[in-house]
Amino acid sequence: DAMVIQNPRYQVTQFGKPVTLSCSQTLNHNVMYWYQQKSSQAPKLLFHYYDKDFNNEADTPDNFQSRRPNTSFCFLDIRSPGLGDAAMYLCATSRDFSTTRSNEQYFGPGTRLTVT
Amino acid sequence: AQKITQTQPGMFVQEKEAVTLDCTYDTSDPSYGLFWYKQPSSGEMIFLIYQGSYDQQNATEGRYSLNFQKARKSANLVISASQLGDSAMYFCAIVGRRGAQKLVFGQGTRLTINP
């Protein structure tokens, strides 16, 4: 089945130790998103790629970076994780940008990051 | 800019009853789309239903329907014949033409179905 895959599902890292989360998709969608979600809150968009064009949200800390080497894969790099970065990280894809259902976002299962 | 308001932080419903989850929105875009997502405790966000601003009829997807009242800027989700597996967080989201690269989510409603 076509889907969005995130690895690993659970990640433990140490304070200040760089960590990379990965996302892959078999939907061949143009857009890939990374969200941060803390407990009982709405997902917060960090950045997105439209094809190779990267768009950072204005309030995304510099500590967060992303790479999209090809259509299928997208990575979230946290350069120096702090305790406040512990959260669920959700990757999503959509076919396009629009107000129609083609903007339906397909989410992966998420990676729960713990910072010790 | 778009904004979603979900006024019910939590709801408790008896199994097999219908449940309505409230969502109001604010946008100045004439063209927009409204989405509902379900998030079980496992964490994955699951698409439920979509309503376009120009759609004449309310959207339905199986047991889910959307009560779309455009003049009131309301897009409530109705779940008929609730099941234990419906227990989850539910998020309403909007995408507007001017910000079509980004969904804006509400704060969510935690629904608990009691047996």
Side-chain angles (χ1 to χ4, degrees):
Chain A
D1 288 342
M3 57 174 51
V4 181
I5 302 162
Q6 289 187 247
N7 286 305
R9 294 291 308 276
Y10 300 91
Q11 176 74 56
V12 180
T13 191
Q14 292 178 334
F15 183 93
K17 185 175 180 180
V19 65
T20 295
L21 309 181
S22 73
C23 177
S24 63
Q25 56 133 339
T26 59
L27 297 159
N28 203 32
H29 281 174
N30 290 315
V31 193
M32 295 188 78
Y33 309 80
W34 278 105
Y35 291 88
Q36 179 192 64
Q37 187 180 28
K38 296 191 176 180
S39 183
S40 300
Q41 295 183 17
K44 176 181 180 296
L45 183 64
L46 296 173
F47 23 61
H48 71 269
Y49 276 93
Y50 188 103
D51 195 14
K52 295 185 178 182
D53 292 333
F54 176 71
N55 189 288
N56 205 27
E57 291 298 300
D59 56 355
T60 299
D62 292 340
N63 198 24
F64 291 86
Q65 305 284 321
S66 186
R67 296 170 282 136
R68 189 179 185 185
N70 53 53
T71 300
S72 300
F73 285 87
C74 195
F75 300 96
L76 169 62
D77 301 309
I78 308 176
R79 291 192 295 188
S80 181
L83 298 179
D85 297 327
M88 174 76 90
Y89 290 87
L90 295 165
C91 174
T93 73
S94 68
R95 191 164 62 226
D96 213 329
F97 292 149
S98 78
T99 60
T100 67
R101 188 164 166 180
S102 65
N103 202 345
E104 175 189 340
Q105 293 192 17
Y106 293 75
F107 285 80
T111 295
R112 190 170 296 280
L113 178 69
T114 300
V115 182
T116 61
Chain B
Q2 289 82 36
K3 183 180 178 183
I4 292 284
T5 302
Q6 294 181 254
T7 57
Q8 305 153 311
M11 283 193 70
F12 295 84
V13 173
Q14 215 55 32
E15 189 180 8
K16 299 181 184 176
E17 289 183 352
V19 57
T20 297
L21 304 182
D22 294 342
C23 172
T24 58
Y25 60 90
D26 189 24
T27 181
S28 56
D29 282 327
S31 174
Y32 52 89
L34 294 153
F35 296 80
W36 276 94
Y37 283 86
K38 171 185 178 181
Q39 188 176 39
S41 56
S42 58
E44 184 173 356
M45 297 279 279
I46 302 166
F47 166 80
L48 294 179
I49 197 165
Y50 164 83
Q51 180 83 42
S53 58
Y54 292 119
D55 293 344
Q56 295 297 313
Q57 293 189 329
N58 287 344
T60 61
E61 295 271 0
R63 291 188 300 114
Y64 305 107
S65 60
L66 203 151
N67 184 1
F68 181 48
Q69 298 187 43
K70 193 170 181 177
R72 298 180 62 184
K73 294 191 174 180
S74 167
N76 297 340
L77 176 71
V78 181
I79 306 174
S80 63
S82 58
Q83 303 170 356
L84 296 178
D86 294 332
S87 294
M89 280 289 283
Y90 288 80
F91 290 97
C92 180
I94 187 171
V95 59
R97 184 177 59 191
R98 295 196 198 104
Q101 70 277 21
K102 155 180 182 174
L103 281 178
V104 174
F105 288 90
Q107 288 303 303
T109 295
R110 182 171 297 281
L111 176 64
T112 302
I113 307 298
N114 294 317

